[in-house]
Amino acid sequence: MLMLSKTDLDPPSFILNGVPGLEDIHVWISLPFCSMYAVAVVGNCGLLCLIRYEDSLHRSRYYFLAMLSLTDLVMCSSTIPKALCIFWFHLKEISFVECLVQMFFIHTFTGMESGVLMLMALDRYVAICYPLCYSTILINPVIAKAGLSTFLRGVLLITPFTFLTKRLPYCRGNVIPHTYCDHMSVAKLSCGNIKVNAIYGLMVALLIGGFDILCITISYTMILRAVVSLSSAEARQKAFSTCTAHICAIVFSYSPAFFSFFSHRFGSHTIPPSCHIIVANIYLLLPPTMNPIVYGVKTKQIRDCVIRILSGSKDTKFHST
């Protein structure tokens, strides 16, 4: 019988192979990745600073937007710098512990991204359906508790991933055909039983994604009913315009996620692996890149603040606290 050493069963490191089949154009693939990452970092840091120092943005809607920006920054920064190191410098090795840490951050903050989008939908529901109670319902302690609950939900549900992955014996090599340590990509290198990993991963996806999508759907159903019932066309347009940026954020976040989810289950034999990997990276990179742009263009208060800053107006109020 072939005896396996401890190193075979518990590899000290993995090799992230980038985008298999497209190694010759890794440099070209890196260009849009790098550009989008730069826009994401500058845009989200700019939004955070603007919300932090601009008095007129100290409202629940913009606090939730700050949570989304912070989540986006962590989410894309957990993957893209390592991907660029693979594309540019062929630094493909990642230690087992670093792989687990990266996995934890990726899945925790993608779950938090979904949760914050759900909270923003509830915020719009209260603002449109109960405008007179808006300032009394969404007070700062409620916002802080909602954000903390969303973060703790992700941590508590994702932490078992690391233990389920760590317990597995690894004897099918250490090359991961990906740009980052995805839970199932790592688990598939194991020669042990990964059925528990697969079942738990599906349960978490349903608990987080399914619950959040249900809440978003119910919120917008109630919003649509409230908007349609308004007598003035101008009032209807104004009420719904406050939701357009959030709807765009939902589209940017969930569209790549749904494509990746369904293609893995129903198109695994027809869609090349390189396409799966690129879409998986877009899923982590597109929302952080587009959200600051969309909110900057579609939100009048943010747009006005940016214009005042760029024009050097003396009316811009920045106060450090």
Side-chain angles (χ1 to χ4, degrees):
M1 180 182 290
L2 179 64
M3 299 299 292
L4 295 171
S5 67
K6 186 179 187 306
T7 302
D8 293 324
L9 295 174
D10 189 13
S13 64
F14 289 111
I15 302 297
L16 292 169
N17 211 24
V19 185
L22 300 179
E23 289 86 357
D24 293 341
I25 59 171
H26 269 180
V27 173
W28 296 105
I29 295 173
S30 72
L31 296 180
F33 277 36
C34 182
S35 301
M36 292 174 72
Y37 181 61
V39 172
V41 171
V42 173
N44 285 289
C45 287
L47 265 182
L48 287 170
C49 291
L50 198 65
I51 295 169
R52 172 68 177 83
Y53 293 112
E54 180 61 44
D55 291 343
S56 64
L57 301 181
H58 290 178
R59 299 168 56 190
S60 61
R61 181 185 183 186
Y62 304 107
Y63 291 147
F64 287 129
L65 179 57
M67 292 181 197
L68 185 67
S69 291
L70 185 59
T71 301
D72 283 342
L73 276 174
V74 177
M75 191 170 70
C76 64
S77 296
S78 300
T79 58
I80 300 304
K82 180 60 181 178
L84 293 178
C85 286
I86 295 170
F87 295 150
W88 290 343
F89 310 113
H90 305 288
L91 299 176
K92 300 182 177 183
E93 187 173 359
I94 184 171
S95 72
F96 188 56
V97 173
E98 289 173 342
C99 189
L100 293 179
V101 171
Q102 186 186 52
M103 181 195 308
F104 172 80
F105 273 92
I106 291 169
H107 291 295
T108 296
F109 281 89
T110 51
M112 189 171 176
E113 168 102 355
S114 177
V116 173
L117 288 174
M118 181 263 293
L119 293 177
M120 296 174 82
L122 295 177
D123 171 78
R124 291 298 85 204
Y125 164 69
V126 175
I128 292 174
C129 297
Y130 301 98
L132 298 179
C133 304
Y134 181 71
S135 59
T136 57
I137 294 175
L138 291 174
I139 57 178
N140 288 349
V142 172
I143 297 168
K145 289 176 183 177
L148 181 61
S149 299
T150 303
F151 174 70
L152 291 178
R153 180 189 69 167
V155 171
L156 293 174
L157 289 176
I158 299 303
T159 297
F161 276 143
T162 58
F163 293 104
L164 288 172
T165 306
K166 194 175 188 307
R167 70 177 177 86
L168 294 171
Y170 294 91
C171 54
R172 293 181 178 172
N174 66 340
V175 177
I176 301 174
H178 215 306
T179 57
Y180 60 82
C181 291
D182 175 70
H183 170 234
M184 288 308 298
S185 297
V186 176
K188 287 177 181 178
L189 296 179
S190 170
C191 51
N193 188 349
I194 63 171
K195 187 175 181 180
V196 174
N197 295 65
I199 293 174
Y200 185 73
L202 184 60
M203 286 177 54
V204 169
L206 292 174
L207 284 172
I208 295 179
F211 176 78
D212 293 343
I213 291 171
L214 177 62
C215 289
I216 291 170
T217 302
I218 293 173
S219 296
Y220 271 100
T221 301
M222 301 301 290
I223 288 171
L224 189 60
R225 288 179 58 185
V227 170
V228 170
S229 66
L230 294 173
S231 57
S232 168
E234 183 180 353
R236 288 196 296 268
Q237 183 180 0
K238 184 177 179 181
F240 198 72
S241 67
T242 64
C243 301
T244 53
H246 181 243
I247 292 172
C248 291
I250 292 172
V251 172
F252 291 138
S253 181
Y254 285 115
S255 296
F258 281 133
F259 177 85
S260 183
F261 180 84
F262 287 111
S263 63
H264 269 294
R265 282 151 184 80
F266 305 110
S268 56
H269 299 296
T270 57
I271 300 176
S274 57
C275 182
H276 287 294
I277 294 169
I278 290 175
V279 171
N281 280 276
I282 290 175
Y283 167 55
L284 299 177
L285 189 55
L286 184 64
T289 303
M290 296 305 300
N291 287 343
I293 297 174
V294 170
Y295 275 95
V297 172
K298 292 291 185 179
T299 308
K300 184 179 185 300
Q301 290 85 345
I302 294 177
R303 189 170 64 245
D304 290 345
C305 289
V306 172
I307 291 173
R308 287 203 308 269
I309 293 169
L310 294 178
S311 63
S313 173
K314 296 180 180 179
D315 295 332
T316 304
K317 296 180 181 179
F318 276 80
H319 303 293
S320 58
T321 59

